[in-house]
Amino acid sequence: MTQLLEKALNEIYKLPLEKQDAIAAIILEELEDEQRWDKAFAESQDQLAQLSQKVRADIKAGRVKNMGIDEL
């Protein structure tokens, strides 16, 4: 366990039980969200590679125009 995590947990232990549960629920939600993002990213690698190839082909064929933010 890192020192920062240990420090945070020590502070959490000082809180009333209902606040500890609220913080635990937030942490668990964040961990589940991170797992969903990791899974979605891992499963999209083929699609991202195909999109990258299409963009490179569009650039090579001259179908892409450089624009600044003010030109959008």
Side-chain angles (χ1 to χ4, degrees):
M1 180 182 318
T2 68
Q3 290 180 337
L4 184 58
L5 181 56
E6 187 173 355
K7 181 179 177 182
L9 290 175
N10 285 332
E11 292 302 314
I12 293 168
Y13 293 144
K14 297 175 187 176
L15 298 172
L17 294 179
E18 60 271 356
K19 288 190 177 186
Q20 289 183 27
D21 281 346
I23 293 171
I26 292 168
I27 292 170
L28 290 172
E29 286 176 21
E30 287 295 321
L31 291 171
E32 289 172 8
D33 188 50
E34 186 68 25
Q35 288 173 348
R36 282 192 299 272
W37 273 107
D38 288 346
K39 183 178 182 221
F41 185 72
E43 292 174 352
S44 66
Q45 290 303 298
D46 289 339
Q47 292 169 321
L48 290 171
Q50 290 173 1
L51 182 59
S52 174
Q53 290 174 351
K54 182 184 181 318
V55 169
R56 287 187 178 128
D58 287 345
I59 291 169
K60 191 173 184 177
R63 293 186 292 261
V64 176
K65 178 182 174 185
N66 283 334
M67 297 177 72
I69 191 75
D70 296 331
E71 299 172 278
L72 295 176

